[in-house]
């Protein structure tokens, strides 16, 4: 158990809908990262937050947004869902801002999203 | 650009065999960090090891060992005396010094250990 929690574990929804994925980092970790794992794209970095501020953005679609709250939990919002958004979404956390030096990221169990 | 290549998509071995998973990386950063993660059938990503670019010492942890060679941009992972519980997908990942913490993952190697 990494100490990172994600809810829900599974989510089934329809195209066009909006969902929110939630992540609680390990105790004491200030950085939260979101990744998407799909069969065709593999594991892709989406976004990084440190202590409530956005630090880096990857291949995140405009339909997707994230935020980190004062209690350090984070939410990833996915809207206007398409079939291709079906994937495993991981949250990871690390102790501090990972610009330097790089801290190890510990991953949560993931949320499996299925868009029908 | 940064890139990680795991050329072996699938490997199948019989229990107690040794197996090496290859990882080759590309980066222009002079300081960077390399990682291995394990993804068992249950789906979670489990951290195995981290290596800094300025530390070329190889590491051994039980049946696991890692060989970091900067000259060939490789960070290979060997499992000695493999066990059925080692069956999983293994990912190699890279993070550059000023990349905002972004991990670049390889495509993964699926290891199947048969009894």
């Amino acid at each position: 158990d990494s100490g990172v929690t994600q809810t829900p574990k599974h989510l089934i929804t329809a195209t066009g809908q909006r969902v929110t994925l939630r992540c609680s980092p390990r105790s004491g970790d200030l950085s939260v990262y979101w990744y998407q794992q799909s069969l065709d794209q593999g594991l892709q970095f989406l976004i990084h937050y440190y202590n409530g501020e956005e630090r880096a953005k990857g291949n995140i679609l405009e339909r997707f947004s994230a935020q980190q709250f004062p209690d350090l939990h984070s939410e990833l919002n996915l809207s206007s869902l398409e079939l291709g958004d079906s994937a495993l979404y991981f949250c990871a956390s690390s102790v501090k801002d990972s610009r330097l030096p790089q801290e190890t990221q510990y991953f949560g169990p993931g949320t499996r999203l299925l868009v029908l | 650009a940064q890139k990680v290549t795991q050329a072996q998509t699938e490997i199948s071995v019989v229990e107690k065999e040794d197996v090496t998973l290859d990882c080759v990386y590309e980066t222009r950063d002079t300081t960077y960090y390399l990682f291995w993660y394990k993804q068992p059938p249950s789906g979670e990503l489990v951290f195995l090891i981290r290596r800094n670019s300025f530390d070329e010492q190889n590491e051994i942890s039980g049946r696991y060992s890692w060989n970091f060679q900067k000259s060939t941009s490789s960070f290979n992972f060997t499992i000695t005396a493999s066990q059925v519980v080692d069956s999983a997908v293994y990912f190699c990942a890279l993070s550059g010094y000023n990349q905002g913490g972004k991990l670049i993952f390889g495509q993964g190697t699926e290891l199947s250990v048969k009894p």
Side-chain angles (χ1 to χ4, degrees):
Chain A
D1 186 346
S2 67
V4 179
T5 60
Q6 289 187 248
T7 55
K9 286 191 79 171
H10 302 275
L11 200 46
I12 302 174
T13 189
T15 53
Q17 295 297 305
R18 172 190 168 95
V19 297
T20 298
L21 312 184
R22 183 189 168 100
C23 167
S24 292
R26 295 184 316 161
S27 177
D29 283 2
L30 301 177
S31 270
V32 169
Y33 311 80
W34 286 97
Y35 291 83
Q36 179 195 59
Q37 184 178 28
S38 62
L39 282 174
D40 52 344
Q41 298 289 325
L43 268 160
Q44 300 270 314
F45 168 76
L46 295 177
I47 199 162
H48 167 205
Y49 275 85
Y50 170 73
N51 205 20
E53 290 186 10
E54 182 184 303
R55 280 293 193 219
K57 246 180 178 175
N59 299 324
I60 187 166
L61 299 170
E62 283 192 18
R63 300 183 286 108
F64 296 2
S65 64
Q67 57 183 131
Q68 186 179 26
F69 295 87
D71 68 352
L72 300 175
H73 91 271
S74 178
E75 292 180 358
L76 179 66
N77 299 297
L78 315 177
S79 61
S80 302
L81 285 167
E82 301 175 359
L83 296 178
D85 298 327
S86 295
L88 186 51
Y89 291 85
F90 284 108
C91 165
S93 74
S94 67
V95 173
K96 53 187 179 178
D97 191 344
S98 286
R99 285 179 297 181
L100 76 90
Q102 175 66 47
E103 293 288 329
T104 296
Q105 294 178 29
Y106 293 90
F107 284 76
T111 293
R112 192 170 295 275
L113 173 66
L114 179 59
V115 182
L116 299 175
Chain B
Q2 299 192 316
K3 188 178 177 183
V4 175
T5 301
Q6 295 179 254
Q8 305 149 307
T9 307
E10 296 178 18
I11 299 177
S12 183
V13 299
V14 176
E15 214 171 12
K16 297 184 184 172
E17 280 186 32
D18 298 348
V19 58
T20 295
L21 310 183
D22 297 334
C23 172
V24 173
Y25 61 91
E26 294 174 31
T27 181
R28 289 189 184 148
D29 290 324
T30 52
T31 299
Y32 51 89
Y33 310 87
L34 296 163
F35 302 82
W36 276 94
Y37 285 87
K38 173 182 178 179
Q39 187 173 38
S42 50
E44 72 271 27
L45 276 169
V46 179
F47 166 72
L48 295 178
I49 190 170
R50 160 195 159 162
R51 176 61 71 219
N52 305 328
S53 57
F54 43 85
D55 178 5
E56 287 194 70
Q57 273 192 333
N58 291 323
E59 183 154 339
I60 297 175
S61 176
R63 295 183 297 106
Y64 295 172
S65 63
W66 291 269
N67 183 354
F68 176 33
Q69 297 221 337
K70 239 171 149 172
S71 59
T72 56
S73 297
S74 65
F75 186 40
N76 297 336
F77 173 28
T78 297
I79 302 175
T80 303
S82 59
Q83 299 176 2
V84 173
V85 293
D86 296 327
S87 296
V89 180
Y90 291 86
F91 290 94
C92 180
L94 164 70
S95 183
Y97 181 77
N98 268 326
Q99 300 297 323
K102 173 170 78 171
L103 286 175
I104 304 295
F105 284 89
Q107 286 300 104
T109 296
E110 183 172 3
L111 174 64
S112 176
V113 182
K114 301 192 186 310

